Amino acid sequence: MQSESARMSSAAEARYRIDAPNSKPRSVKVIALDHPSERVIEDLAQRKWNNASFFTASAFGGTPLKGDSFAGWLSDLAGRTKNLIEEVNSADLVVMVATAGESAQAASIIGEACSVKRVMTTALVLGGQSISDEALSKTLSHLRPWALMLVIASAEEYIADMLAALRA
Amino acid sequence: MLRKEQNDLLTQTGPGTPMGQMFRLSWQPALLAEELPENECPQVRVKLLGERLLAWRDTQGNYALTDEFCAHRGVSLWFGRNEHNGLRCPYHGWKYDHTGQCTEVPSEPSESGFCQKIKLKSYPLVERGGVLWTYMGPPEKQPPLPEWEFAMVPGSHSFMSKRLQESNWLQAMEGGIDSSHVSFLHSGELNSDPLFKGSKGNTYNMADMKPVFEVVESPGGLYIGARRNAENGNYYWRVTQYVMPAFTMIPPRADHPVHGHFWVPIDDENCWAWSFDYKVTRPLSEKERKAMEAGQGIHVAYVPGTYIPTANKTNDYLVDRKAQKEGRTYSGVFGIAMQDASLQESMGPIVDRTKENLVSTDNGIIMARHRLLRALKTMEKGDTPPGIVAEHQRVRSAAVVLPPDKHFKDAAKEALVVQTGKEHVTV
Ligand code: FES
Ligand SMILES: [Fe+2]
């Protein structure tokens, strides 16, 4: 008699894997932290996604002062202001896109909001190849405290691949 | 997830497939040198990348890797006679030399020169570091021999084993770069396995169950950094190496030998999990070697006379539910290698990646696939894929404690490449 494991791991048995959706759409919010990243995101936003939306925080390099509201701090790609807290609230994952050498300071405010709301964060750094280690380290040091996953990619195309892999 | 076409592209490695071509452009481990221990020893069947071959050694000690089947009427030469300077088919006596050239067709007058018209496909087979390597690509693109560090240290410093894994190569390889499973699946072994226990890093591993990851492209593939909290606000980093297409190297622990793998397709539903262990500046101790031979660490014990693990799918991997309940092993399966293999084989021969739900911590896997797909595209245009030049092979994994503002790729730059005469950087 064949063992159960041997039988069930065969190609013949693999055909019986239930063919029904095993997940619900996830909401992924992609936020550009600087102007160069914004251009990359604008391209991405043209494509078809399940539930990904695209924003920019590039206009707001600095952190709002204490007591200031977050309202108006974030904007969509058409330039309409968006409420950061509301967007984070409805997100399953927040992806921050930064360009190596840019300040990435906006990460702290987004990260803070995500951490309060317990939303997973991922940071993608582009262009790390063409820049000095020091400049890259600086960008990273702003992102690191706020990104539970940090990816340094050489190809812009990686963002699209990652979003597709995550079913965004 | 991957789309079906992408999954097919990455998992199919037979002749004529793009992924198969990438494997064929670099030297692959074909068999252990111990499998062909002496001249005229028994020949061994080898299936690689969906091609059935025969490995043998002639009277002069030449290694041969030739088509398994006789050109006459297709008999397997596994039944052949390893005679003076050649392998003779037992059916009608055709004889071949180590290059696959037919040297005798007894039924034809020797003056006719007929045998010169017969030649079996053959590939180079060369020993380095206890491994017999082959190159199955176009001869004009054959690169110099591989320079993986474990194969360059003296034989007494290294140990290599292989085991059959009954799954596609990619799901096996993805296990090799999936650092986030260690704190779960292998939690029982970090403190008990003689080849793992007692490293400072293990306490960081266990103290901080939720590592944070950084995935960085390297010239040959990827660095996957797993960051945990250490003392004084510093970070404990474990950096795994991935070199395309199928080399992975686990970060070191204390003074233990450093280990890693190759995941080499046999066909699309099976692969060889090659597992090496080595030290740079000292021979392996007798105790370490014994433990490796006994199947500890990343190695396995075998069904006698084979490279099939003792715990395998035909005996349900000797799963022990009591030990699982008692927490002695997380999954009920013993041994790091079989914990991985049992789960990867359970996915089916080729896992359906259209059904998976990856999360952010899977970015190492997502990036590895992305880079492979990208490399396939540029290979099509004639570029050499990463992982073939020596520079991409002279890499190391590392375990380091760094201040929080340091990027491991810079701060550990030297630790991530071979430093002749120096051990790995480890905690
Ligand atoms: S939790 Fe990862 S495969 Fe099930
Ligand atoms: Fe594992």
Side-chain angles (χ1 to χ4, degrees), chain B residues 231-253:
Chain B
E231 298 89 354
N232 308 324
N234 288 332
Y235 290 138
Y236 167 62
W237 287 97
R238 293 182 61 70
V239 186
T240 301
Q241 286 271 5
Y242 165 55
V243 181
M244 290 192 254
F247 173 89
T248 55
M249 194 170 188
I250 303 165
R253 292 176 199 276

Side-chain angles (χ1 to χ4, degrees), chain A residues 3 5-6 9 18 22-23 26 122 133 137 140 144 148-154 158 161-162 165 167, chain B residues 1 212-215 217 227 313-314 316 345 349 354-358 360 363 370 374 404 406 410 413:
Chain A
S3 77
S5 295
S9 59
I18 289 178
N22 58 6
S23 59
R26 287 179 256 180
T122 295
D133 288 350
S137 280
L140 290 179
R144 195 167 278 137
L148 298 168
M149 165 56 84
L150 217 162
V151 182
I152 302 169
S154 65
Y158 183 67
D161 272 12
M162 183 195 79
R167 299 176 177 275
Chain B
M1 61 159 288
V212 178
F213 295 99
E214 288 192 23
V215 176
E217 289 182 52
R227 183 183 97 204
K313 67 182 190 180
T314 69
D316 288 322
E345 291 181 1
T354 66
K355 290 196 168 73
E356 59 184 16
N357 286 282
L358 298 184
S360 190
N363 260 289
H370 162 86
R374 219 166 78 203
K406 286 275 183 289
D410 317 319
K413 202 173 233 158

Side-chain angles (χ1 to χ4, degrees), chain B residues 32-86:
Chain B
L32 286 162
E34 68 182 30
E35 295 179 74
L36 294 177
E38 58 191 28
N39 299 351
E40 292 185 17
C41 61
Q43 54 274 24
V44 179
R45 281 192 177 104
V46 174
K47 198 208 248 178
L48 270 186
L49 304 172
E51 296 186 43
R52 284 182 63 174
L53 301 160
L54 199 68
W56 50 286
R57 196 166 160 179
D58 75 5
T59 315
Q60 314 295 319
N62 294 308
Y63 287 114
L65 188 62
T66 52
D67 184 346
E68 182 187 333
F69 300 99
C70 180
H72 181 208
R73 288 183 54 218
V75 159
S76 171
L77 293 167
W78 186 77
F79 292 98
R81 299 172 53 83
N82 196 340
E83 292 181 353
H84 187 71
N85 283 338

